[in-house]
Amino acid sequence: MKKIVLALILATLATTGAFAQKRFFYGGQFGIFTDGNSTAFSDGSPREKGATSFNFTIKPSIGFYFTPRLVGGLKFTYTNCSFAEQETGQTVFNIRSIAMNVLMGNGIDKDYESWRISPYLRYGLLSLANDKLKLWLELSGYAGVRTPRDSNHKLDPTHRKIIYGAELHPLVSYAITKTLMIYTSIDFPSIAWEGSARTSPVGESDTSTRYEGAFFFQANPLVAVATSLFNLGIMRRF
């Protein structure tokens, strides 16, 4: 009887090991974007510099393959988004910058730092090139904090927000080897909703909480291509 029980335990462990082999993965994604504009005058007047942005995002992640086409995991996102002011002292909202910020998960604020945690699910829609090239649909939710910077580009914790939301967008991956894969978020089209809550003091003892919400839909293939070039990730299965 003991031999039978031992054999069943060993068989169970072997089956579990075979099932889990190469199903776990870890990796990370890095995104970067910068832009700017300026105006020149034919009469020789000094050139005016426009608003300039520099944004980068780092996303380490872990996950598990439930099936070859269904993946779930957890992402941790750090974002630093900064804008430089114009020499004329005027504020210019660059539409291209706003679109890129939204697509890269940076939100629409101008100058800030944020941290997020995001559970996600990816479903494989299409496979090509002997199953090496894949198109995925990723659904993720997130929660975190966003801290804006003041006019001196220093973090201002008094205006810190709690942020939360959900995103749905395509993702493309390519398997270099059986265990190593590169990927990029296409973000065309992408759908996202984001909410925020910020508590501010009112008087000496009371506080007031302000809630906001915004819905985004992006379907600009030119912006999506630019995002893909600067939004790359690598994943390793084990």
Side-chain angles (χ1 to χ4, degrees):
M1 184 65 181
K2 291 182 180 180
K3 291 182 179 180
I4 295 176
V5 173
L6 181 59
L8 289 175
I9 293 174
L10 292 175
T12 302
L13 291 174
T15 303
T16 303
F19 176 78
Q21 187 178 18
K22 306 302 183 185
R23 288 179 178 260
F24 290 96
F25 65 87
Y26 62 90
Q29 193 169 1
F30 178 74
I32 186 170
F33 173 71
T34 182
D35 77 347
N37 55 62
S38 61
T39 303
F41 299 93
S42 58
D43 61 2
S45 300
R47 179 185 296 268
E48 293 182 357
K49 288 187 63 177
T52 300
S53 67
F54 179 78
N55 318 318
F56 69 88
T57 301
I58 302 172
K59 301 179 182 180
S61 63
I62 56 175
F64 182 78
Y65 275 80
F66 299 103
T67 71
R69 298 180 65 179
L70 183 62
V71 179
L74 199 62
K75 292 186 289 187
F76 305 89
T77 304
Y78 169 76
T79 298
N80 189 308
C81 179
S82 61
F83 271 64
E85 295 181 359
Q86 280 191 308
E87 291 181 352
T88 58
Q90 300 175 353
T91 301
V92 174
F93 290 95
N94 189 306
I95 300 302
R96 186 166 55 129
S97 297
I98 293 176
M100 294 296 291
N101 287 336
V102 172
L103 287 176
M104 292 177 64
N106 296 350
I108 58 175
D109 290 344
K110 290 196 301 177
D111 197 350
Y112 69 91
E113 179 183 80
S114 73
W115 299 83
R116 302 192 320 188
I117 182 171
S118 310
Y120 66 89
L121 281 176
R122 294 175 187 164
Y123 180 74
L125 299 175
L126 181 66
S127 296
L128 299 171
N130 295 323
D131 214 29
K132 290 186 176 182
L133 182 64
K134 291 186 178 182
L135 174 65
W136 306 81
L137 185 64
E138 179 176 293
L139 173 65
S140 65
Y142 62 86
V145 294
R146 180 182 296 149
T147 306
R149 291 184 173 87
D150 58 22
S151 58
N152 295 318
H153 301 285
K154 294 183 178 180
L155 293 176
D156 183 6
T158 60
H159 289 82
R160 180 175 291 146
K161 294 180 180 180
I162 296 173
I163 55 174
Y164 44 87
E167 301 170 328
L168 181 67
H169 61 85
L171 184 144
V172 171
S173 68
Y174 182 80
I176 300 175
T177 67
K178 291 183 178 180
T179 60
L180 192 63
M181 184 183 79
I182 56 174
Y183 62 95
T184 182
S185 299
I186 293 292
D187 298 310
F188 168 62
S190 65
I191 300 173
W193 179 88
E194 179 173 288
S196 66
R198 182 168 71 89
T199 301
S200 304
V202 178
E204 296 182 357
S205 57
D206 295 332
T207 60
S208 174
T209 302
R210 179 178 179 178
Y211 299 93
E212 297 179 334
F215 175 81
F216 307 104
F217 173 72
Q218 172 63 37
N220 186 339
L222 298 179
V223 174
V225 169
T227 306
S228 298
L229 293 175
F230 297 96
N231 198 3
L232 298 175
I234 189 165
M235 187 184 83
R236 188 173 185 85
R237 298 173 66 170
F238 67 95

